[in-house]
């Protein structure tokens, strides 16, 4: 069939659709989000797609669909799998009926996650099969195969691409789709109710099936002889995107070697591994995150040197690259092997342009640092600023949470003192207050995170008579992952209208007697509201309501009346807004004045409210007054 | 991101196998964004989506400082197409370590013999949208990439909604013209 340019996550979505999936649930999380978004965008007939409130809920709902015979896909990032681990562990004991595939995208680096955990390890712990694609085209094929495997063994199957597969695009060939699997309906039976007796039998079954499972997964693993027919002395074992880097490095070095590429690492393919090791002088393992393949090989090595993360030849943390693999190979392989192989172009032969020219690289100007920051016009900036002002001079601890607002920890706001995991701001604050009674304890939590796992923490606070201020930053979307709807938005995953949950009503129902709502962009009101809340005791809440700039229509940008700008830099230094900077003004003999990037400014007006000289105004008001630009 | 996918689409339309790698997520909140695009007749020749340092044929820079940051990817003899307009960094502004865009442009002039500079802001103003800088750069880079205007337009039609085609087409054309002026 046709080749289409697909992102890895899109390939997973197409793979599931072409496998006849009819139930798709998940919670957004980088780098997994686009998989569910793609199904929601394509809206295939007969497929239910939902953003669930969290990963545990998503998996349980999908389990139900599978019990009734539907093929189901659940999507999440690796830390989401922690949230879903409770149903996952039990589900292996109960088993599934319709194919159930769980996309758990790992994030080596990590680029945007709390942990560098490895879903393959999780699969070992849970005794589940896990497929590890090395490219988008493989992700497509593996997704389809995962449904078959799931039904064959009545087991949930994990699919764990990593960031460089999820967010890479390649030409993917779509194969003939399987017709939509019509759910057969739920058939009552003892097997759906987990009991100790059933679990005992299930555990025996889970262990006993492993050799058969390993055999069924053989097609996902392969041995390749690279660069020649002479007996290979060097072996490279690899998995996931590590396989891509390993193949590239071997290509560059022209190295004669044998590759073992493992796409299904659990149960470990021991027979194929033994075949791979036979006759080799040494083996390098190329894998990101944990040494899963390396640990699988170690007992089979019979004294043959095994290099990888355990001896530090491969980095123990962070992403790999072809260059890293090349230098790892150079440290373990005799030079003759590399030179003899007719290298295409080795790393040392490749010279970057900077440094190879007459220009000394010492002359190279250092580009500005660009860490991620809250967007211009972000309501979180306004909320943080108001609370910071209100708490000034008092001992206060600001517990943060997971979302865009974690970026509030950066200067100049510096308003995130703790951040642990989804929903933990609300609960960490409770413990902090017990152990540090003098402090005002604030817990900032976004709307989507509140629904995900904040509500139970609030109930716990009320029940246990905590003394804290819950600050819900309600921007009416899941911002960090790119604007997904949630129960508070009144919109479903496919853009249809949905019942709109009220955060204030939920807080009250959970027992929070003192709930205030405020517009964070009204600085005075926001500060006053915070003061009022601080002066009370017990659990009180403030809901700061203002939409994310990604969902709200931007207003007219602000402008600076240069003549009145004192150059005090209060606006830049208090807010850290990316639309604000200081530049010399040609009109006023190079005097340093504030400058607004009108392409970024949304006209939120926060800076205008804090400017001591009131020189920042909406652009309309300044037109004709001689203000305007520099 | 769109630019990298368009290049990949053009390559595919000419029968090649293409890969891209993109930065999505945290890095987009005002951070540096780098996309890699590779294409070849055979998938096996480009196993990895990432380009190794010192091996890129062409560097397309949306901002001079960012072009300098990514220069180590460019191979000796490689070409660069860069928009001269700087984007200030909020964090650099806070610490007072703001560097003028012209400093980076001057360095690029010295370091990259095959350099095309375009005034992206001027083109954006002419076309009427700041969001078409990507197309202007692609227009300027088309010859280097080896794609005809027609190939690029076809790719554009495949990946963009019809109402955006005209605007982006004009940016492509302006970019191509700006390139002539640059030489």
């Amino acid at each position: 069939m046709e080749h289409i340019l697909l992102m890895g996550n899109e390939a997973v979505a197409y793979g599931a659709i072409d496998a006849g999936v009819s139930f798709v649930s998940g919670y957004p999380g980088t780098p997994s989000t686009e998989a569910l978004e793609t199904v929601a965008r394509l809206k295939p007939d007969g497929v239910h797609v939902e953003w669930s409130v969290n990963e545990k809920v998503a998996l349980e709902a999908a389990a139900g669909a599978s019990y009734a015979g539907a093929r189901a896909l659940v999507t999440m990032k690796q830390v989401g799998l922690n949230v879903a681990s409770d149903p996952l562990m039990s589900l292996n004991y109960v088993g599934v009926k319709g194919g159930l595939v769980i996309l758990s995208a790992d994030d080596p680096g990590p680029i945007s996650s709390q942990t560098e955990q490895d879903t393959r390890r999780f699969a070992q712990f849970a005794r589940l099969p896990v497929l590890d694609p090395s490219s988008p085209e493989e992700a497509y094929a593996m997704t389809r195969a995962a449904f078959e495997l799931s039904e064959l063994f009545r087991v949930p199957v994990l699919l764990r691409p990593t960031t460089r597969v999820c967010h890479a695009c390649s030409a993917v060939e779509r194969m003939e789709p399987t017709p939509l699997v019509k759910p057969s309906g739920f058939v009552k039976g003892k097997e759906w109710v987990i009991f100790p007796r059933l679990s005992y039998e299930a555990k025996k079954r889970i262990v006993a099936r492993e050799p058969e499972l390993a055999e069924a997964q053989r097609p996902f693993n392969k041995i390749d002889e690279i660069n020649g027919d002479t007996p290979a002395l060097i072996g490279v074992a690899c998995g996931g995107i590590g396989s891509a880097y390993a193949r590239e490095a071997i290509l560059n070095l022209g190295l004669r070697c044998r590759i073992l590429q493992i796409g299904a690492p659990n149960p470990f393919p021991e027979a194929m591994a033994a075949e791979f090791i036979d006759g080799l002088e040494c083996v390098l393992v190329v894998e990101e995150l944990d040494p899963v393949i390396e640990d699988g090989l170690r007992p089979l090595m019979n004294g043959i040197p095994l290099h990888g993360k355990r001896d530090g030849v491969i980095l123990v943390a962070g992403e790999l690259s072809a260059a890293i693999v090349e230098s790892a190979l150079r440290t373990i392989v005799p030079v003759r092997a590399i030179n003899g192989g007719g290298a295409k172009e080795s790393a040392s032969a490749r010279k970057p342009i900077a440094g190879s020219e007459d220009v000394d690289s010492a002359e190279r100007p250092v580009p500005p640092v660009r860490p991620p920051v809250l967007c211009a016009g972000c309501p979180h900036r306004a909320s943080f600023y108001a609370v910071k002002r209100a708490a000034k001079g008092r001992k206060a601890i600001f517990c943060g949470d997971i979302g865009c607002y974690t970026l509030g920890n950066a200067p100049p706001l510096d308003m995130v003192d703790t951040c642990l995991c989804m929903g933990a701001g609300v609960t960490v604050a409770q413990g902090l207050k017990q152990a540090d009674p003098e402090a005002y304890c604030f817990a900032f939590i976004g709307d989507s995170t509140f629904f995900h796992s904040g509500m139970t923490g609030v109930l716990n606070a009320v029940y246990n008579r905590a003394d804290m201020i819950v600050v819900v930053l309600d921007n009416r979307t899941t911002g960090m992952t790119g604007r997904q709807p949630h129960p508070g938005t009144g919109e479903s995953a496919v853009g249809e209208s949905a019942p709109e949950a009220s955060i204030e009503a939920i807080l009250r129902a959970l027992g929070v007697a003192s709930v205030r709502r405020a517009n964070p962009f009204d600085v005075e009101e926001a500060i006053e509201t915070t003061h009022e809340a601080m002066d009370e005791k017990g659990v009180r809440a403030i809901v700061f309501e203002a939409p994310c700039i990604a969902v709200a229509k931007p207003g007219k940008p602000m402008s600076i009346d240069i003549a009145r700008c004192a150059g005090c830099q209060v606006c830049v230094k208090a807010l850290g807004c990316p639309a604000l900077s200081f530049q010399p003004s040609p009109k006023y003999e190079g005097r340093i004045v504030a400058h607004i990037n009108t392409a970024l400014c949304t006209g939120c007006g926060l800076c205008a409210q804090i400017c001591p000289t009131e020189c920042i105004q909406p652009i309309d008001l300044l037109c004709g007054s001689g203000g305007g630009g520099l | 991101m769109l630019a990298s996918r368009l290049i990949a689409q053009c390559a595919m339309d000419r029968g090649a196998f293409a890969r891209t790698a993109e930065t999505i997520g945290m890095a987009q909140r005002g951070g540096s964004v780098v996309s890699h695009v590779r294409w070849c007749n055979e998938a096996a020749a480009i196993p990895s989506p990432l380009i190794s340092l010192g091996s890129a044929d062409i560097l397309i820079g949306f901002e001079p400082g960012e072009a300098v940051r990514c220069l180590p990817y460019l191979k000796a003899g490689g070409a660069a197409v860069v928009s001269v307009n700087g984007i200030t960094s909020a964090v650099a502004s806070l610490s007072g370590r703001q560097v003028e865009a012209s400093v980076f442009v001057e360095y690029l002039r010295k370091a990259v013999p095959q350099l095309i500079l375009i005034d992206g802001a001027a083109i954006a103003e002419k076309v009427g949208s700041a969001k078409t800088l990507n197309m202007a750069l692609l227009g300027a880079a088309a010859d280097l990439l080896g794609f005809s205007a027609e190939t690029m337009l076809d790719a554009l039609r495949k990946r963009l909604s019809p109402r955006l085609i005209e605007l982006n087409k004009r940016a492509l054309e302006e970019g191509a013209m700006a390139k002539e002026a640059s030489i």
Side-chain angles (χ1 to χ4, degrees):
Chain A
M1 278 176 75
E2 50 164 355
H3 279 86
I4 38 177
L5 185 67
L6 291 182
M7 195 202 270
N9 284 336
E10 292 174 321
V12 171
Y14 277 88
I17 292 167
D18 291 350
V21 78
S22 61
F23 186 97
V24 182
S25 56
Y27 186 79
T30 311
S32 72
T33 314
E34 299 82 3
L36 192 143
E37 281 185 324
T38 302
V39 183
R41 192 184 71 231
L42 297 170
K43 276 198 254 185
D45 280 344
V47 182
H48 170 84
V49 197
E50 67 170 52
W51 283 123
S52 308
V53 294
N54 66 35
E55 296 85 352
K56 172 175 150 69
V57 168
L59 178 53
E60 290 158 352
S66 159
Y67 289 176
R71 285 194 164 182
L73 173 71
V74 193
T75 74
M76 62 194 70
K77 67 185 295 180
Q78 89 286 33
V79 285
L81 190 62
N82 301 341
V83 178
S85 62
D86 195 6
L88 182 67
M89 298 302 289
S90 304
L91 191 56
N92 191 16
Y93 283 68
V94 171
V96 303
K97 189 172 176 189
L100 178 68
V101 177
I102 302 158
L103 168 73
S104 168
D106 284 352
D107 182 14
I111 299 173
S112 61
S113 297
Q114 303 96 288
T115 69
E116 240 216 354
Q117 65 191 70
D118 193 319
T119 295
R120 296 174 305 162
R121 273 281 193 251
F122 212 115
Q124 292 177 325
F125 171 52
R127 304 191 91 127
L128 290 170
V130 56
L131 301 184
D132 186 13
S134 68
S135 64
E137 58 271 30
E138 219 170 76
Y140 173 81
M142 279 185 172
T143 305
R144 294 196 62 164
F147 282 99
E148 306 286 339
L149 195 66
S150 172
E151 280 173 12
L152 197 59
F153 288 88
R154 305 196 62 162
V155 63
V157 175
L158 288 158
L159 177 73
R160 83 98 201 204
T162 54
T163 308
R164 297 297 182 186
V165 173
C166 294
H167 289 168
C169 290
S170 63
V172 175
E173 187 183 8
R174 266 183 99 172
M175 308 304 273
E176 198 58 48
T178 308
L180 188 80
V181 179
K182 260 220 152 145
S184 48
F186 182 65
V187 181
K188 293 187 183 190
K190 283 200 183 86
E191 68 268 34
W192 305 118
V193 184
I194 195 159
F195 266 120
R197 180 68 207 167
L198 180 133
S199 299
Y200 170 74
E201 295 300 332
K203 173 75 183 287
K204 287 198 290 186
R205 201 172 59 240
I206 289 166
V207 175
R209 79 177 174 211
E210 286 189 341
E212 209 186 324
L213 191 55
E215 190 51 39
Q217 295 189 131
R218 221 182 149 81
F220 304 115
N221 307 319
K222 60 182 171 187
I223 295 175
D224 284 335
E225 297 285 347
I226 309 281
N227 294 326
D229 306 321
T230 55
L233 301 176
I234 297 139
V236 175
C238 48
I241 192 70
S243 312
Y245 301 145
R247 285 178 189 276
E248 182 116 359
I250 292 161
L251 206 64
N252 289 342
L253 293 172
L255 186 69
R256 167 78 189 104
C257 80
R258 186 183 299 159
I259 291 183
L260 171 65
Q261 182 172 338
I262 297 182
N266 192 53
F268 193 73
E270 290 184 1
M272 193 182 282
E275 193 186 320
F276 160 74
I277 295 164
D278 187 40
L280 294 176
E281 280 184 0
C282 71
V283 171
L284 174 70
V285 186
V286 180
E287 59 191 324
E288 289 179 328
L289 304 173
D290 285 357
V292 170
I293 296 172
E294 185 177 346
D295 290 353
L297 286 170
R298 190 162 307 277
L300 310 170
M301 293 306 292
N302 274 326
I304 299 164
L306 178 67
H307 304 287
K309 287 173 182 275
R310 299 274 179 205
D311 66 356
V313 169
I314 290 287
L315 298 172
V316 294
E319 284 194 280
L320 299 180
S321 67
I324 291 171
V325 180
E326 265 187 66
S327 76
L329 280 168
R330 283 172 187 282
T331 62
I332 63 156
V333 172
V335 177
R336 62 184 158 80
I338 291 175
N339 293 341
K344 191 185 114 198
E345 44 164 352
S346 71
S348 59
R350 282 196 304 273
K351 266 189 157 178
I353 195 158
S356 68
E357 297 299 314
D358 302 335
V359 187
D360 184 0
S361 55
E363 264 183 52
R364 199 173 151 221
V366 181
V369 285
R370 290 189 201 272
V373 291
L374 293 172
C375 303
C378 174
H380 300 329
R381 177 179 292 102
S383 303
F384 282 133
Y385 177 77
V387 175
K388 187 175 186 170
R389 282 271 301 271
K392 200 174 176 191
R394 301 199 227 181
K395 183 176 176 183
I397 303 172
F398 305 110
C399 297
D401 221 301
I402 307 290
C404 288
Y405 48 99
T406 316
L407 298 172
N409 82 321
L413 293 170
D414 191 16
M415 283 295 284
V416 177
D417 296 326
T418 73
C419 181
L420 185 65
C421 64
M422 293 287 281
V426 173
T427 36
V428 164
Q430 296 166 37
L432 273 170
K433 179 69 182 181
Q434 285 298 330
D436 196 347
E438 300 301 305
Y440 286 89
C441 287
F442 287 86
F444 293 97
I445 186 165
D447 40 354
S448 190
T449 307
F450 177 78
F451 294 119
H452 179 282
S453 48
M455 298 186 296
T456 44
V458 173
L459 184 61
N460 188 69
V462 171
Y463 173 53
N464 291 301
R465 299 195 181 282
D467 184 25
M468 65 176 297
I469 303 160
V470 178
V471 183
V472 183
L473 304 171
D474 182 6
N475 67 354
R476 299 194 65 78
T477 193
T478 315
M480 192 79 210
T481 44
R483 207 162 45 95
Q484 290 75 33
H486 60 59
T489 61
E491 195 192 345
S492 76
V494 292
E496 289 164 0
S497 78
E500 193 177 320
S502 155
I503 292 173
E504 183 187 357
I506 290 170
L507 286 166
R508 291 194 189 281
L510 290 170
V512 183
S514 161
V515 183
R516 292 179 170 78
R517 289 159 60 191
N519 171 12
F521 287 123
D522 184 333
V523 176
E524 288 307 317
E525 180 201 319
I527 294 173
E528 182 51 34
T529 303
T530 310
H531 273 144
E532 287 169 15
M534 288 178 79
D535 291 341
E536 293 175 354
K537 289 281 170 209
V539 181
R540 52 274 198 216
I542 305 169
V543 185
F544 281 122
E545 296 173 324
C548 172
I549 61 152
V551 294
K553 203 169 177 276
K556 290 216 169 99
M558 306 300 282
S559 186
I560 310 274
D561 184 349
I562 304 296
R564 282 160 71 190
C565 177
C568 66
Q569 308 198 8
V570 162
C571 55
V572 168
K573 289 190 171 156
L575 302 176
C577 173
L580 276 171
S581 62
F582 272 86
Q583 294 180 8
S585 162
K587 258 191 217 166
Y588 294 88
E589 293 115 31
R591 187 160 64 87
I592 300 293
V593 293
H595 173 72
I596 288 177
N597 180 340
T598 51
L600 291 178
C601 180
T602 65
C604 76
L606 186 60
C607 54
Q609 293 175 70
I610 69 160
C611 172
T613 64
E614 298 179 357
C615 76
I616 310 176
Q617 290 170 27
I619 207 159
D620 289 355
L621 298 180
L622 281 174
C623 281
S625 74
L630 295 170
Chain B
M1 266 163 55
L2 176 64
S4 61
R5 290 190 200 179
L6 276 175
I7 295 171
Q9 186 69 55
C10 288
M12 278 170 63
D13 291 347
R14 294 216 328 215
F17 180 88
R19 290 190 191 284
T20 77
E22 297 156 359
T23 322
I24 303 173
M26 187 93 105
Q28 280 179 302
R29 305 277 179 292
S32 299
V33 174
V34 183
S35 294
H36 297 223
V37 193
R38 309 181 76 189
W39 67 96
C40 201
N41 289 334
E42 252 185 279
I46 44 168
S48 158
L50 294 177
I51 296 170
S52 294
L53 292 175
S55 57
D57 298 301
I58 302 164
L59 172 71
I60 300 179
F62 286 53
E63 203 267 355
E66 293 306 307
V68 170
R69 195 194 307 280
C70 288
L71 205 54
Y73 282 104
L74 195 61
K75 69 179 187 189
V81 183
V82 181
S83 171
V84 296
N85 316 100
I87 299 170
T88 51
S89 153
V91 175
S93 190
L94 259 180
S95 59
R97 282 195 294 267
Q98 204 63 259
V99 182
E100 291 290 319
S102 59
V103 175
F104 297 108
V105 173
E106 281 320 303
Y107 176 75
L108 288 169
R109 280 190 209 277
K110 281 189 254 173
V112 187
Q114 210 184 334
L115 177 69
I116 295 169
L117 293 169
I118 67 163
D119 186 341
I123 295 176
E125 199 170 325
K126 211 164 164 185
V127 178
S129 166
K131 288 180 182 165
T132 57
L133 174 61
N134 51 0
M135 292 305 134
L137 284 161
L138 284 189
D143 285 351
L144 287 169
L145 292 164
F147 302 137
S148 68
E150 208 40 54
T151 306
M152 287 211 157
L153 263 177
D154 281 346
L156 206 62
R157 289 193 190 101
K158 276 189 192 155
R159 302 207 69 90
L160 276 185
S161 88
R163 66 190 168 84
L164 294 172
I165 300 294
E166 193 48 41
L167 181 75
N168 284 284
K169 178 173 174 250
R170 277 179 52 215
L172 268 177
E173 290 164 357
E174 288 293 338
M177 283 195 287
K179 178 214 156 194
E180 297 307 321
S182 165
I183 293 166

